[in-house]
Amino acid sequence: MGRFRWTSPLAQVIAVGFICFCCPGMFNALNSLGGGGQIDSKVGQNANVALYTCFAIFGLLAGAIHNKLGPKWTIFIGCSTYVLYAGSLLCYNHTRAGGFTIAAGGLLGVGAGMLWTAQGAIMMAYPREQNKGKYIGYFWAIFNAGAVLGSVIAFAINFNVTEAKSLGDTTYIVFIAIMAVGTLIALSLAPPSTVTHSNGDKIQIQKFPTWTGEIIAVMKLFLDWRMVVLIPMFLSSNWFYSYQFSTVNGFYFSTRTQSLNNIFYWFSQIGGSWSFGRVLDYQGVNRRTRALWGLTIITLCFVATWIGGIFFQKNYTINDPKGDHDFKEGASYVGPLFLYIFYGLNDAAWQTYCYWLMGALSNDVGVLSRYAGFYKCIQSCGAAISWRINAVGTDFMTELIICFALLVASIPGALFLSLRIKDHSEEPANDFVMNPDMQKVDMEQVDEKYPIEF
């Protein structure tokens, strides 16, 4: 094994994994309890609407911010908003000030857009082409271990709480402390210019043009056919969270059982992403074949799982939720638990595939930061809409059908792109040549370089 280097691509991806372990991982543990752990889920639901609305806007702009500030400060600023949001839920326990929690949710949307855009750029651009699926799997495993730990903490603290109720102060304080640790880790990240592969090769970095040139490059993504065909897939990739976390976990189970369910949900994502990433990196066939294999696997998995979800959803409705089911019920608990586990597996595979597809299109940090921002923008638009649908009391079966339909609608676009995936990303670091006089990106080169292929 080679000598450990902090400036190696793997070390940086693992560092970002631990940052997300502490911040988004703990947030996911809270959010998957339904309403951020509050018995009055309306506040948490409306905070999520504010969060994902702001996330959509700043996710799109965060690529430019990352390309200017670099990953260290982009991620540090983003992480600090997670601490604020968890603090607002602690405050709500005492003041019932829902406005503060909703405002903190909006600020978290700004910060999350910055964090996840920088994370996506690092995860997709730092590894070599043959290792992208593996690195995505490493990151996803570490990140979701945070949600597992958060769920274990919530389960242990609330073990004797058999009915549905809000989380106590101790749980929130522990989460705030862990998020603060992740925020500080961000300050240790290396500048991209110092990150090198084992043979000394540097990662590809596109020179930052001007703010105007960067914004133009971001806006041109809406005309890039490769991004356009993936919009349904991006839109659906977080849409189902409101249904799974609020309608299934939040309505149907007791507080402690919700935490136990989330341990299994997030743990399943660790194995799901790691193993699926290995499939996508298998070198025995070309990359186009792997793309088709991956699409076939996730299609079969989500169809089977969501059909099972339809049968489960027939057991309760919004008018007759039949809640507070507990893990101690025994055999009747096993079926819903396994359904919830497969929801988690599907989520991990779906998002791993999204990242892998984008990573197959480029190796440049600047380009991939824009792709990641575009992905998070569209993803967050879907999440904001779905959480609003959930907050207004939509029929549970209607929520499920919408989720299922969006997943199905994603397949044609993903197939269209998968059939056109090449074995190597063609784009060298200087593909986007800078005009020395105007210092703006020559976007005509982009269109000539990447015409749509049939």
Side-chain angles (χ1 to χ4, degrees), residues 287-288 291-292 295 353 357 413-421:
R287 193 152 64 170
R288 179 180 301 173
L292 294 172
L295 184 59
Y353 189 70
L357 276 181
L415 177 62
F416 185 84
L417 180 59
S418 296
L419 290 170
R420 289 157 180 80
I421 290 292

Side-chain angles (χ1 to χ4, degrees), residues 74 106 189 213 249 256 375 433:
T74 303
L189 291 174
N249 206 31
R256 67 179 182 180
Y375 171 46
V433 178

Side-chain angles (χ1 to χ4, degrees), residues 207-336:
K207 180 181 177 182
F208 185 84
T210 62
W211 283 106
T212 301
E214 186 69 31
I215 292 172
I216 290 173
V218 169
M219 292 298 107
K220 289 284 282 188
L221 292 176
F222 288 96
L223 301 178
D224 184 339
W225 68 269
R226 298 168 302 170
M227 293 294 102
V228 171
V229 298
L230 290 179
I231 284 177
M233 195 170 207
F234 293 170
L235 189 71
S236 65
S237 61
N238 268 185
W239 188 290
F240 44 72
Y241 277 176
S242 60
Y243 172 75
Q244 292 173 1
F245 296 158
S246 183
T247 301
V248 177
N249 206 31
F251 271 89
Y252 195 74
F253 298 101
S254 64
T255 296
R256 67 179 182 180
T257 305
Q258 291 174 32
S259 298
L260 179 62
N261 292 344
N262 288 332
I263 293 172
F264 288 103
Y265 182 94
W266 297 114
F267 190 78
S268 71
Q269 296 217 13
I270 295 174
S273 180
W274 186 85
S275 57
F276 192 55
R278 293 284 178 153
V279 171
L280 294 173
D281 275 350
Y282 175 64
Q283 297 299 303
V285 295
N286 62 38
R287 193 152 64 170
R288 179 180 301 173
T289 300
R290 284 177 271 145
L292 294 172
W293 281 3
L295 184 59
T296 300
I297 291 170
I298 61 173
T299 301
L300 293 176
C301 287
F302 88 71
V303 168
T305 300
W306 285 85
I307 288 176
I310 291 173
F311 285 99
F312 169 71
Q313 189 57 70
K314 290 180 177 180
N315 294 324
Y316 68 105
T317 67
I318 192 169
N319 297 317
D320 185 18
K322 301 177 183 177
D324 283 346
H325 288 273
D326 196 73
F327 69 91
K328 289 193 173 182
E329 293 177 7
S332 64
Y333 166 68
V334 174

Side-chain angles (χ1 to χ4, degrees), residues 44-114:
Q45 290 164 339
N46 287 324
N48 276 326
V49 174
L51 188 165
Y52 287 111
T53 301
C54 293
F55 198 162
I57 297 169
F58 281 87
L60 188 62
L61 300 175
I65 296 172
H66 168 265
N67 290 345
K68 181 64 175 177
L69 297 182
K72 178 172 75 173
W73 292 111
T74 303
I75 292 177
F76 175 79
I77 295 169
C79 285
S80 64
T81 62
Y82 283 85
V83 180
L84 176 65
Y85 179 72
S88 76
L89 292 171
L90 174 62
C91 177
Y92 185 79
N93 268 0
H94 298 274
T95 65
R96 317 314 287 179
F100 177 41
T101 301
I102 294 170
L107 287 173
L108 175 56
V110 176
M114 297 173 67

Side-chain angles (χ1 to χ4, degrees), residues 6-17 122 126 188-191 195:
W6 183 245
T7 55
S8 71
L10 181 59
Q12 292 297 296
V13 170
I14 290 175
V16 173
I122 290 172
Y126 282 19
S188 70
L189 291 174
V195 178

Side-chain angles (χ1 to χ4, degrees), residues 390-412:
N390 184 266
V392 298
T394 303
D395 177 74
F396 291 165
M397 186 62 78
T398 301
E399 277 193 272
L400 184 153
I401 296 301
I402 293 172
C403 293
F404 195 4
L406 279 172
L407 292 168
V408 172
S410 304
I411 302 306

Side-chain angles (χ1 to χ4, degrees), residues 344-402:
L345 280 168
N346 285 333
D347 176 28
W350 195 265
Q351 297 209 53
T352 297
Y353 189 70
C354 287
Y355 278 116
W356 184 85
L357 276 181
M358 289 186 288
L361 301 177
S362 176
N363 294 317
D364 187 279
V365 176
V367 173
L368 288 171
S369 71
R370 298 186 197 115
Y371 286 173
F374 183 84
Y375 171 46
K376 287 298 177 179
C377 168
I378 303 302
Q379 182 187 69
S380 299
C381 286
I385 297 169
S386 69
W387 278 106
R388 185 57 186 164
I389 289 173
N390 184 266
V392 298
T394 303
D395 177 74
F396 291 165
M397 186 62 78
T398 301
E399 277 193 272
L400 184 153
I401 296 301
I402 293 172

